[in-house]
Amino acid sequence: FMLLSVGDGRLELNIYSYFRDLGRRRCNVAAFMPEAAGFDGVSDRSALQEFSVSNSESFWAAVARQRLSWIRPFHTVQDCDLSRGEIKWFVGGQLNVSVNCLDRHVHTCPERVALIWERDESGSEVKVTYRSLLEMTCRLGNLLRRHGVKRGDCVTIYMPTCPLAVASMLACARIGAAHNVVFAGFSAEALAERIRDAQSGTVITVNQGVRGGKVTELKKTVDTAVQSCPAVQQVFVAMRTENPVAMTARDVAMEEEMLKEDVVCEPAAMDSEDVLFLLYTSGSTGKPKGLVHTQAGYLLYAALTHRYVFSYHDGDVFGCVADIGWITGHSYSVYGPLANGGTTVLFESTPIYPDPGRYWEMVQRLKINQFYGAPTAIRLLLKYGDEWVHKYDRSTLKTLGSVGEPINTEAWEWYHRVVGDGRCPVVDTWWQTETGGICISPRPSDADAEIVPGMAMRPFFSIKPTLMDTEGKVLTSNDVSGALCIAQPWPGMARTIHNNHQRFIETYCRPHPGYFFTGDGAYRSKEGYYQITGRLDDVINVSGHRIGTAEIEDNQCAAVAESAVIGYSHDLKGQGVYAFVVLKNDVEVQGAALCQQLNNMVSKKIAKYACPDFIQFVQRLPKTRSGKIMRRVLRKVVERDLDGVGDLSTLDDPTAVQEIIQGHGDLCGKQP
Ligand code: 6R9
C-alpha cells in the first residue's frame, strides 16, 4: 500500500478508499451480526441475507452455537423433509429453555429487570428482576414436580398476562413439561375442549382476572371446564385479586405452596426436538388444532427475530401488548425477549382503559423503546383523535410494530406520523402460530431502506417465500399474486398438530408438495416486496383473532337447521362475522330473541369476540349440486358486489340467491 501510494496520488486515494470501504462493510456486517464474520464472502447485509437463504444450515448452525447455551452440542443441524412433514433441527443437542431465558442472565446481570407487569390498574406496574423471576420459576418448578408433574406431561395455563403466568410457562420448561396456554377470554367449553385434546392433567389459573376494570371469574370458569375433563387431577390457583374463591380438594393455593419450595430447581436436559408447548389455533374445521413447538429451534427463532426485526438492543424496554394466550405473547412478550436478556412489558389491560391514552401514557411512564401492537387497536385509537397521543412523551420510541392482520394505509400512516412522530420505522410483521416467529417484515434491512405502508415486504433470514398460482405452479415473476408458501424449513416452524400429524400434513404439506403452505394469499410487487392479502381458507380474522367459520357454524341450536358464516370487511375489527341461518321448519321466527340466543351460544362455546355482527335468517343457502355451500356467493352479496357473484349455473337452486340479496338489503338497512 505504501509502495503504491508513491507517485500517483489518485491511485493512492482510490485504493485507500477501496480498502476503507471494504473494511467498513466487513466491520459493519460483523458488528450487526457477529456470526457473519465466519460466513464466506459475506461482506454486507444483502450478502448476509442471501447467505442465510442459500446456506441456511451453516447460517443456523452458527447462530445456534453463538446464541443458545447447550448442555450437549447438536451433531446434525437439520433433518427435514417438508413433503412428509418431518422437521427436526439441532438433532442430538440438549438444552434447557428456562436456563437460556433466566440462569445465564442471572449470572451476568441478576438485578436487570426481566418483566414489567403493566397491571390493569394504570400506574401500578410491578418490576421483576431476572434473579427474582428465576426464583419464582424454580419454586414453581419444584411445586409442580412435588405434585407429580413429569417430563412430557402437559400443563394447561389459563391466566391473564402476569409474571406468574410467565413463571408457569418457564417452570414447565424447566422440568420438561409442555405448556398449553389458553387465552383467558375463552369460555369454559372452549377451555375444556383444549384441556381434553391436550390430555392435560394439571391446570394453573387465578382466582379472578381483571381487565378494563372488570373482574372475570376465571377460577369458576375452570371449575366448570374441568367437570368435563376427567383427566384433570389438580388445579393450581394463584391470587390476582384479594377476593377468596371456593376451593375444592383438587385445588392448590399456588403462592402459599410456592413459599414452601426451594429456590433451586434442577433443570431437565431436554432434547432439541422435545415438545416445549402446544398452542391451539383455529383452522378451517370446527376443531381447533394444537400446534406443537419444540425447544431449541423455536427459542432460537423467537430470539433472533426479536433482536433483528425490532432492532432490540441491551437495555431497551420492549413493549408487546399481546396477550400471552396468543403466539405473539409467547414469542415476543416471553421467549424472544427473555432469551435475549431483555426487559419485556406484560400488558394486562386494554387500549382504552381507563382512557384512549393508555398505551402512550404507558410508553411515557415505562420508557418503552419498541412498541408492538395490533392494527385493530390502532384503528380504534385513531378514531379518538391525536390529542390522546400528543399528551404523552413518546421520545423513547425507536421502532413500532404491527401484527395479526393487514394494516390499512390510513392506520399505518397514523401510527407512523402521530404515534412515532414520523421518526420510527413501522414494521408490519407477517407470521402465524405455525411459523413460531416473524417471517416477513420490512426490517432487518439497511437503516435507510424504504418501508412501504401496509406491506410486510422482506423475508427474514433464511426465509424463502414462494407464490403459487391456482394450478400449483410456482410464480417466478414480480407483480403477481398467489398462494403464499415457504420453500425451505426454518427452525421456528411448528412440528406437528398434537395427536394429528395427518392433519398437519394435509393442511400445510400436501397442498404444495415440498413447500410449507401458509393458508394466506400474497402479492409480490414490481420491486419484489410482499404484501399479505388475507386468508385463502375458511378462517376469518376478527381483531387479529383467528376463528374458523366452521367453529361458529358448529353450534347445536335446536331451532337451526343449518348455517353459513363468512367474514366481511369491518372498519375497526378488520373482519366482522356475518351468519346466514336456516331455521327448522316448525320454528316460528322470533328475530331478536333468537339472535340473542345464538349469540349467547357462540360466546359460551367460543368467546365473545366470535359472536356474529349480523345474523340473517334465510330459507335456504346457495349450494352446488353436490351440496357444498357457496360461500363465495355469500361473500359477494355481503360485499354488495353483485356483478362479482359470477356464474351461478352450478347452483342447485339459483333463486336462493335472489332471496338472500333481498334479505341482506333489509337487514343492513335496519342494523348499523
Ligand atoms: C402472529 C399471528 C395468523 C394469521 C395469518 C394471517 C394473519 C398475521 C399479519 C397477517 C396480514 C400481517 N396475519 N400477521 N395478515 N399482515 N402482518 O397473528 O398468528 O394468530 O396464528 O394468525 O393472521 O392471515 O395467517 P395467528
Side-chain angles (χ1 to χ4, degrees), residues 279-300:
L279 186 62
Y280 283 83
T281 188
S282 296
S284 48
T285 73
K287 197 173 145 52
K289 43 195 178 185
L291 269 316
V292 174
H293 283 282
T294 55
Q295 314 266 330
Y298 168 79
L299 186 66
L300 183 65

Side-chain angles (χ1 to χ4, degrees), residues 281 327-328 402-406 428-434 518 520 532 534-535 541 544 546:
T281 188
I327 190 67
T328 306
S402 162
V403 61
E405 45 173 328
D428 172 10
T429 63
W430 175 86
W431 59 295
Q432 314 175 298
T433 305
E434 292 84 343
T518 67
D520 280 322
I532 311 304
R535 301 289 309 187
N541 191 326
R546 276 166 71 168

Side-chain angles (χ1 to χ4, degrees), residues 169-493:
M169 296 162 78
L170 294 169
C172 289
R174 192 147 194 105
I175 65 171
H179 58 69
N180 166 33
V181 181
V182 177
F183 173 55
F186 275 124
S187 67
E189 275 179 51
L191 171 61
E193 187 183 5
R194 287 158 176 77
I195 293 175
R196 281 195 304 265
D197 190 83
Q199 296 145 300
S200 192
T202 303
V203 179
I204 308 181
T205 189
V206 295
N207 61 335
Q208 295 178 312
V210 189
R211 198 156 173 272
K214 290 194 209 92
V215 171
T216 49
E217 301 292 341
L218 298 187
K219 164 66 163 65
K220 284 192 184 144
T221 308
V222 171
D223 286 343
T224 312
V226 298
Q227 277 171 17
S228 59
C229 304
V232 172
Q233 314 239 312
Q234 50 197 349
V235 177
F236 293 89
V237 185
M239 297 295 283
R240 169 57 181 87
T241 67
E242 275 160 18
N243 308 324
V245 281
M247 300 285 272
T248 69
R250 197 178 38 217
D251 303 332
V252 181
M254 193 157 95
E255 290 101 328
E256 248 174 81
E257 292 300 310
M258 278 169 71
L259 286 176
K260 301 179 188 159
E261 298 293 338
D262 205 281
V263 295
V264 178
C265 174
E266 182 64 28
M270 303 302 289
D271 291 339
S272 296
E273 285 300 331
D274 282 335
V275 175
L276 177 61
F277 66 84
L278 315 186
L279 186 62
Y280 283 83
T281 188
S282 296
S284 48
T285 73
K287 197 173 145 52
K289 43 195 178 185
L291 269 316
V292 174
H293 283 282
T294 55
Q295 314 266 330
Y298 168 79
L299 186 66
L300 183 65
Y301 197 75
L304 203 74
T305 48
H306 170 255
R307 164 71 182 79
Y308 287 101
V309 169
F310 300 99
S311 190
Y312 183 87
H313 284 84
D314 249 11
D316 285 348
V317 176
F318 190 77
C320 166
V321 291
D323 193 281
I324 50 150
W326 311 115
I327 190 67
T328 306
H330 280 59
S331 301
Y332 301 108
S333 298
V334 181
Y335 287 113
L338 295 182
N340 288 331
T343 298
T344 177
V345 174
L346 303 175
F347 185 69
E348 192 185 33
S349 194
T350 80
I352 51 167
Y353 181 76
D355 60 50
R358 176 62 185 256
Y359 278 168
W360 324 122
E361 186 273 328
M362 172 180 77
V363 165
Q364 171 182 296
R365 181 162 37 83
L366 306 183
K367 302 192 168 48
I368 290 175
N369 301 113
Q370 290 89 6
F371 181 88
Y372 193 27
T376 184
I378 303 301
R379 285 192 296 267
L380 176 69
L381 295 177
L382 177 160
K383 293 205 193 295
Y384 283 98
D386 301 3
E387 313 79 70
W388 289 108
V389 186
H390 289 152
K391 264 175 90 165
Y392 302 104
D393 176 11
R394 290 152 284 108
S395 59
T396 52
L397 287 174
K398 293 191 282 190
T399 303
L400 298 171
S402 162
V403 61
E405 45 173 328
I407 179 163
N408 49 311
T409 312
E410 188 194 6
W412 193 100
E413 299 280 3
W414 186 81
Y415 202 23
H416 181 250
R417 181 177 51 80
V418 181
V419 176
D421 280 326
R423 288 182 301 110
C424 309
V426 172
V427 290
D428 172 10
T429 63
W430 175 86
W431 59 295
Q432 314 175 298
T433 305
E434 292 84 343
T435 69
I438 295 162
C439 288
I440 308 183
S441 152
R443 294 283 190 266
S445 50
D446 287 323
D448 54 1
E450 70 167 329
I451 298 185
V452 183
M455 266 198 167
M457 302 182 77
R458 303 179 175 94
F460 188 70
F461 295 124
S462 96
I463 298 292
K464 200 173 167 185
T466 305
L467 300 180
M468 304 285 180
D469 69 11
T470 45
E471 262 111 64
K473 282 209 204 66
V474 174
L475 292 161
T476 51
S477 56
N478 283 354
D479 194 17
V480 287
S481 294
L484 177 63
C485 294
I486 301 178
Q488 62 185 17
W490 65 103
M493 68 189 295

Side-chain angles (χ1 to χ4, degrees), residues 8-314:
D8 190 338
R10 264 185 24 225
L11 181 65
E12 176 198 309
L13 215 88
N14 287 342
I15 291 200
Y16 171 75
S17 61
Y18 172 77
F19 279 108
R20 187 198 55 202
D21 287 354
L22 190 70
R24 190 182 278 164
R25 280 211 301 271
R26 275 247 165 80
C27 190
N28 257 347
V29 74
F32 172 69
M33 180 180 278
E35 295 90 336
F39 300 150
D40 262 359
V42 171
S43 56
D44 60 18
R45 291 208 200 178
S46 71
L48 177 59
Q49 176 64 29
E50 274 161 40
F51 181 89
S52 74
V53 174
S54 42
N55 298 280
S56 125
E57 274 200 38
S58 319
F59 176 85
W60 285 113
V63 173
R65 287 190 192 107
Q66 171 87 17
R67 290 172 200 252
L68 293 181
S69 133
W70 295 87
I71 297 171
R72 191 175 80 193
F74 51 90
H75 54 66
T76 304
V77 184
Q78 61 146 335
D79 180 8
C80 302
D81 180 351
L82 268 185
S83 58
R84 291 189 305 128
E86 300 278 318
I87 299 122
K88 293 197 190 98
W89 282 88
F90 312 119
V91 187
Q94 285 193 327
L95 78 173
N96 184 279
V97 165
S98 80
V99 168
N100 275 276
C101 289
L102 301 172
D103 306 50
R104 59 175 175 160
H105 310 310
V106 172
H107 291 142
T108 55
C109 45
E111 299 313 319
R112 181 183 289 177
V113 174
L115 311 176
I116 306 179
W117 182 22
E118 174 70 2
R119 301 166 78 236
D120 191 55
E121 302 86 342
S122 162
S124 69
E125 74 272 10
V126 174
K127 295 185 175 163
V128 181
T129 62
Y130 271 94
R131 191 175 47 74
S132 79
L133 183 58
L134 174 61
E135 187 178 312
M136 216 190 277
T137 301
C138 284
R139 286 180 190 274
L140 200 39
N142 288 328
L143 180 64
L144 293 173
R145 266 193 185 137
R146 184 155 62 82
H147 279 79
V149 178
K150 300 211 165 48
R151 195 185 163 112
D153 288 354
C154 176
V155 175
T156 296
I157 298 173
Y158 186 70
M159 296 170 103
T161 301
C162 63
L164 274 176
V166 174
S168 300
M169 296 162 78
L170 294 169
C172 289
R174 192 147 194 105
I175 65 171
H179 58 69
N180 166 33
V181 181
V182 177
F183 173 55
F186 275 124
S187 67
E189 275 179 51
L191 171 61
E193 187 183 5
R194 287 158 176 77
I195 293 175
R196 281 195 304 265
D197 190 83
Q199 296 145 300
S200 192
T202 303
V203 179
I204 308 181
T205 189
V206 295
N207 61 335
Q208 295 178 312
V210 189
R211 198 156 173 272
K214 290 194 209 92
V215 171
T216 49
E217 301 292 341
L218 298 187
K219 164 66 163 65
K220 284 192 184 144
T221 308
V222 171
D223 286 343
T224 312
V226 298
Q227 277 171 17
S228 59
C229 304
V232 172
Q233 314 239 312
Q234 50 197 349
V235 177
F236 293 89
V237 185
M239 297 295 283
R240 169 57 181 87
T241 67
E242 275 160 18
N243 308 324
V245 281
M247 300 285 272
T248 69
R250 197 178 38 217
D251 303 332
V252 181
M254 193 157 95
E255 290 101 328
E256 248 174 81
E257 292 300 310
M258 278 169 71
L259 286 176
K260 301 179 188 159
E261 298 293 338
D262 205 281
V263 295
V264 178
C265 174
E266 182 64 28
M270 303 302 289
D271 291 339
S272 296
E273 285 300 331
D274 282 335
V275 175
L276 177 61
F277 66 84
L278 315 186
L279 186 62
Y280 283 83
T281 188
S282 296
S284 48
T285 73
K287 197 173 145 52
K289 43 195 178 185
L291 269 316
V292 174
H293 283 282
T294 55
Q295 314 266 330
Y298 168 79
L299 186 66
L300 183 65
Y301 197 75
L304 203 74
T305 48
H306 170 255
R307 164 71 182 79
Y308 287 101
V309 169
F310 300 99
S311 190
Y312 183 87
H313 284 84
D314 249 11

